[in-house]
Amino acid sequence: MTLSPARVPAVGVRRLTTTLYGYSFLDDFVLLYPVYALLFADTGLSLWQISSLFALWSITAVVLEVPSGAWADAVSRRRLLWIGPLLTAAGFALWVAVPSYWAFAAGFVLWGAGGALGSGALEALVYDELDHLGAADRYARVMGRSRAARLLGAVASIGLAGPVFARGGYPAVGAASFVACVLTAVTATRFPEHRVRPETGGDSWATTLRTGLAEVRRDRSVRGALLLIPAVAAVWGALDEYTPLLIREIGFAEATVPYLIMLIWAGVTLGSFLTGPAERLGPKGLAALLAGAALALAVGAAARSLTGIALVSLAFAGFQLAEILADVRLQHRIDESRRATLTSVASLGTELATVATFGAYVLLGADAAHSTVFAVLAIPYLVTALALGSASVSASARSRAARARP
């Protein structure tokens, strides 16, 4: 049977999207997610040591974020997408084989390197392949579904982590995570890749940063949109790592922790699905969203109950939604020729702010309970909401003054 020209792109798009959704699901199908903070604590690590591991993870991403993006433009993107999960698998194997501070540190470096290899390479491969098939207009919809598949993978892994942990402990969830990473790498080999790779290399990391920061200095609206991303993403992204410790501190059994983490991630997934209707929110609406999520976080953490965990889930849903909306604001304000550069700068800002949050958590957690630290770290969101609201009022005043001039 001979396929019509219209049928050929449809088959190609289906192969690409099926591979993408499978890859995204498996990449976050890591049963260690809800319990690795408990593994660190049960190995005897202090809060300072645990926080330093999280910071090392973020620092690895900071160092490799932009260089890995340039490498993705110079070599096969598909190759980086299957190498990355294998590095992560090696890190998880270290964790359960020789649990110790230095094994955990090496594992986070491997995990950070694996994530950096896929950051940018995946989006570039998908866009170029859709463009090759004449379907570039489907990119936003395809990537939105990919993000949903990734969240569903995380929720499914959290749901399975409970029974697997109850039966086999940390070795069992570690082995399952290792297998998931290997399957992710195998799935990545199925990605089509028709791009002709350039012969010349990309700019250096320093050049990329200088170019991006020059654009930020020139345009106030770009600067505001870029700074909003780390302001929204960093704190809740760091707090997510401590949620197992918060839940256990409240008094829930370890076997119950994964189910409550699943409840929190269900809220994050809900936030992703609300992006479409919420895209109409202006600065005042976004400020109200952040303020409401901050209050839910503070009240939920202080409640120290199942209802409180549900409020934390609601807060994380709001932060996830606000983070996506902040990214949309940035993409609307930057020129296509500088899109990758400024997106990388925003990502670097988020990682640096996340490291700072880990440091703040250590300082606060030295003399306070996890629930107290969560409540205190809701304050930056209230400050951001106030700044957004004030900026909106100032912009409206300037607009009215401009219209009133003869």
Side-chain angles (χ1 to χ4, degrees):
M1 180 178 67
T2 302
L3 296 176
S4 66
R7 179 65 174 162
V8 172
V11 172
V13 169
R14 188 177 302 114
R15 177 192 171 186
L16 173 65
T17 56
T18 300
T19 304
L20 173 64
Y21 301 153
Y23 179 90
S24 299
F25 180 90
L26 289 168
D27 197 37
D28 264 23
F29 187 69
V30 178
L31 272 64
L32 274 168
Y33 275 163
V35 297
Y36 62 68
L38 304 181
L39 169 62
F40 302 156
D42 290 344
T43 304
L45 271 60
S46 65
L47 178 61
W48 181 90
Q49 289 175 311
I50 293 173
S51 297
S52 71
L53 291 174
F54 294 154
L56 177 62
W57 190 14
S58 293
I59 290 169
T60 302
V62 167
V63 172
L64 297 179
E65 177 75 30
V66 176
S68 66
W71 193 22
D73 284 334
V75 303
S76 167
R77 291 162 179 165
R78 177 173 57 197
R79 184 186 308 163
L80 299 189
L81 290 174
W82 65 256
I83 291 175
L86 293 182
L87 293 178
T88 304
F92 291 158
L94 273 176
W95 284 6
V96 295
V98 284
S100 63
Y101 179 83
W102 295 110
F104 297 147
F108 268 126
V109 170
L110 289 168
W111 193 356
L117 289 181
S119 177
L122 180 65
E123 293 83 356
L125 183 146
V126 172
Y127 187 90
D128 284 349
E129 289 304 311
L130 286 173
D131 190 43
H132 173 77
L133 295 167
D137 59 326
R138 303 188 192 183
Y139 176 77
R141 182 167 68 252
V142 167
M143 292 307 293
R145 292 175 179 175
S146 168
R147 187 156 188 166
R150 187 174 291 277
L151 288 169
L152 289 174
V155 171
S157 69
I158 292 167
L160 285 175
V164 173
F165 181 81
R167 181 174 293 271
Y170 295 118
V173 293
S177 301
F178 177 88
V179 171
C181 290
V182 173
L183 290 176
T184 305
V186 171
T187 303
T189 64
R190 297 290 302 157
F191 275 117
E193 186 173 28
H194 295 91
R195 181 178 65 108
V196 178
R197 294 188 291 278
E199 296 297 327
T200 58
D203 291 335
S204 69
W205 185 15
T207 300
T208 300
L209 284 176
R210 280 198 301 270
T211 303
L213 292 175
E215 179 70 14
V216 171
R217 286 194 297 269
R218 283 194 298 268
D219 193 323
R220 177 187 296 178
S221 67
V222 171
R223 182 165 61 251
L226 188 146
L227 291 174
L228 182 61
I229 291 180
V232 171
V235 174
W236 86 272
L239 289 180
D240 175 53
E241 306 300 333
Y242 297 97
T243 49
L245 299 177
L246 171 69
I247 292 169
R248 186 164 70 172
E249 178 189 78
I250 291 172
F252 292 101
E254 289 187 355
T256 308
V257 170
Y259 298 109
L260 296 179
I261 296 294
M262 183 170 63
L263 172 63
I264 292 175
W265 275 95
V268 176
T269 305
L270 175 64
S272 296
F273 282 123
L274 292 175
T275 303
E279 193 171 356
R280 295 188 294 270
L281 289 176
K284 289 183 180 178
L286 186 56
L289 173 65
L290 282 173
L295 291 174
L297 176 65
V299 173
R304 298 172 62 89
S305 64
L306 181 59
T307 301
I309 296 300
L311 284 173
V312 172
S313 174
L314 181 63
F316 277 22
F319 296 143
Q320 168 77 344
L321 176 57
E323 181 179 341
I324 297 173
L325 294 177
D327 179 65
V328 171
R329 284 165 61 91
L330 177 63
Q331 299 305 325
H332 285 334
R333 284 164 172 74
I334 56 181
D335 183 76
E336 181 181 359
S337 64
R338 304 198 185 277
R339 191 174 305 279
T341 299
L342 291 180
T343 302
S344 294
V345 171
S347 180
L348 283 171
T350 298
E351 295 295 343
L352 291 171
T354 300
V355 172
T357 303
F358 289 143
Y361 200 104
V362 171
L363 294 175
L364 294 169
D367 299 310
H370 291 288
S371 55
T372 302
V373 179
F374 268 65
V376 170
L377 289 178
I379 295 174
Y381 285 111
L382 293 175
V383 174
T384 300
L386 180 62
L388 271 175
S390 299
S392 176
V393 171
S394 299
S396 297
R398 287 194 299 270
S399 178
R400 287 194 300 270
R403 289 196 300 268
R405 294 193 191 102

